[in-house]
Amino acid sequence: MARVIRARPLTADAFRAYGDVLETEGAFRLINEGRCERYHDRARLEFGGDGRAGISLFHAEPRALPCTVAMLERHPEGSQAFIPMSESPWLVVVAPDEAGRPGTPEAFLPQPGQAINLLRKVWHGVLTPLAAPGLFAVVDRIGASANLEEHHLEAPVVVDV
Amino acid sequence: MARVIRARPLTADAFRAYGDVLETEGAFRLINEGRCERYHDRARLEFGGDGRAGISLFHAEPRALPCTVAMLERHPEGSQAFIPMSESPWLVVVAPDEAGRPGTPEAFLPQPGQAINLLRKVWHGVLTPLAAPGLFAVVDRIGASANLEEHHLEAPVVVDV
């Protein structure tokens, strides 16, 4: 029987080893004559020696919970930020590395207004919106060399609330 | 009497001289076993010789139309992308450069699912959401040297639909 992983609310503390939660918490600068808060430089970005930053859009098919996760992937050469372009729910699945393979996955449910930046080499599930429109801006490495490792789990996990 | 500028729908063609419209149009790659479209590397990013890419969040007070624009700014050292984290309406005001000063402004109304990347040195108004939550991710240059020029218009303009 598949292991069930319970998704929990996304918080910066719980997520720190995997990446950054981009949200309007903590210190900000007031700009534009006081009309705008700037939460400055919140992501630990990496693009590799021969890479550069790029912005792409990902448009993904919504899934429903419970949801089976059979594969995790990671990017050895760069970080990857996912910025939702709506307030719709989505799911984040990550796992610690254990000797080059993913360990037990963890699942998080972002709130509206939260984006994430995955650190380089962090195992993660594919982009999983839980409702339309499934549209995200992705800031990641653009480069010629390979930047994807996939790992098919021996025992797929089921993520539920 | 103030000049009135009519805001029009944002399109990639109309905006090209000012920057990129990031949207799910044109060619894409299917990733994640066919479940996700990747619209790859859509922004002409620049971060200057001594700068680097950063992701910040901007949380701005919503305005209403008609809206007076009295100041335009630009960033001589880098591009600046604005990615809305909701589907709420917002306003984009830009102007061509005329001998180091902004010429006649143009105003655009993005659709849900559109983000923009302003090219380096493009005159633009401050971030102007037209409804809550007014939350945007901003990809721009992080660096030590000055990267802001402001120009107060001799004759403020009024933007309306």
Side-chain angles (χ1 to χ4, degrees), chain B residues 35-141:
Chain B
R35 289 170 183 257
C36 184
E37 301 163 351
R38 179 178 174 126
Y39 297 83
H40 184 70
D41 193 20
R42 290 296 186 101
R44 291 170 281 173
L45 301 177
E46 281 192 81
F47 303 110
D50 62 343
R52 60 172 175 80
I55 306 177
S56 302
L57 294 194
F58 281 24
H59 187 206
E61 197 175 284
R63 306 281 300 270
L65 295 180
C67 146
T68 299
V69 175
M71 193 271 291
L72 295 176
E73 62 180 47
R74 65 176 179 175
H75 307 294
E77 298 294 335
S79 56
Q80 187 172 46
F82 290 91
I83 300 161
M85 292 179 64
S86 76
E87 299 187 281
S88 299
W90 52 300
L91 177 71
V92 174
V93 176
V94 287
D97 183 70
E98 291 182 357
R101 309 157 68 104
T104 302
E106 290 195 84
F108 296 98
L109 291 168
Q111 292 294 305
Q114 288 182 320
I116 63 165
N117 177 58
L118 294 170
L119 299 183
R120 186 171 71 86
K121 291 185 81 167
V122 166
W123 292 109
H124 59 279
V126 300
L127 179 59
T128 307
L130 297 174
L135 183 64
F136 294 72
V138 174
V139 179
D140 67 0
R141 174 184 177 270

